[in-house]
Amino acid sequence: MNTRKNKGITLIALVITIIILIIISGISITGTIRGQKQTEESLQMSELNIIQHAILERATKAKLTKETLPGTTIEKEKLQAIIEDIQNRTGKQISLKGNETDYKQLNKKDLENLGITKEEDIFIVNYITGEVINETKRVTTSGKILYIYSKNDNS
C-alpha cells in the first residue's frame, strides 16, 4: 500500500497562484490608471465651467457698475497661434464665437480678482461670449480640447 503524506503545496500550484495574482493586479492597476485620467479630465472641465461662471457674472456686474474687467488683451496673432496649436494636436476645429479683439488673458492674479484661488494655469476668456480656453494645458491627455463657450450669448 502506498501511503504518501502531503507536506505542502507543490511548486506548480504555487506558480499558478502567483500567475493568477499577477493577472488580477494588472487588471486592477489598468482600471485605476484609466479612472485617474478620467477624473483629471473631469476636474479640468469643471475648472473651465467655474471660470466661465465667474467671468459671465463679472461681465454682468461690470455692465451695471462700469468697472474694468480683469485680464490683459491678447494679441490676435498669439490667439491664432494657440488655436492653431490646439487644432494641430487634436485634429479638431475650433471656431471662436467673438471678435478677436475681445479676448483677454487671465493669469493667477486676475483669477484671484474673480474669486478663483489655487489656480496656476493661464486662461483666455471672452467676457461677451463666455468662451474659456486653458492656455497652459490646451488639451487633456485623452485629446479633449480644454475650451468651452456659453450657448446663451449674453451680448
Side-chain angles (χ1 to χ4, degrees):
M1 200 160 152
N2 191 0
T3 59
R4 198 170 143 200
K5 291 189 176 182
N6 225 351
K7 294 188 177 184
I9 60 173
T10 65
L11 184 59
I12 293 174
L14 182 62
V15 168
I16 291 172
T17 304
I18 291 172
I19 290 172
I20 290 171
L21 289 173
I22 289 172
I23 291 170
I24 291 171
S25 67
I27 291 169
S28 66
I29 289 172
T30 303
T32 302
I33 290 171
R34 189 176 302 123
Q36 183 179 7
K37 286 181 181 178
Q38 289 173 344
T39 302
E40 183 178 321
E41 186 174 293
S42 294
L43 175 65
Q44 291 171 338
M45 293 308 292
S46 293
E47 288 171 349
L48 289 177
N49 284 313
I50 290 168
I51 292 169
Q52 181 185 53
H53 178 74
I55 66 164
L56 291 174
E57 182 180 317
R58 182 59 68 90
T60 302
K61 181 181 174 187
K63 283 180 184 178
L64 300 171
T65 63
K66 307 295 183 208
E67 71 177 273
T68 305
L69 296 168
T72 307
T73 302
I74 188 165
E75 296 173 3
K76 179 179 175 180
E77 294 79 21
K78 183 176 181 181
L79 179 61
Q80 289 174 338
I82 291 167
I83 298 301
E84 205 172 287
D85 176 54
I86 291 171
Q87 291 173 345
N88 290 337
R89 290 168 65 182
T90 63
K92 299 175 186 169
Q93 296 294 316
I94 297 178
S95 59
L96 298 177
K97 311 298 183 236
N99 296 327
E100 291 177 334
T101 56
D102 293 333
Y103 291 87
K104 292 193 175 208
Q105 186 178 51
L106 302 180
N107 59 27
K108 183 176 180 166
K109 183 180 175 187
D110 296 324
L111 292 169
E112 287 173 356
N113 187 333
L114 290 170
I116 299 169
T117 58
K118 300 180 182 176
E119 183 58 64
E120 299 296 325
D121 292 346
I122 295 172
F123 293 86
I124 298 170
V125 301
N126 185 317
Y127 287 96
I128 299 168
T129 63
E131 291 172 276
V132 181
I133 303 169
N134 184 323
E135 181 186 347
T136 306
K137 294 182 181 128
R138 300 181 185 180
V139 177
T140 65
T141 54
S142 67
K144 187 171 183 177
I145 301 170
L146 291 171
Y147 163 80
I148 60 171
Y149 67 94
S150 175
K151 290 175 180 55
N152 297 329
D153 191 349
N154 141 19
S155 45

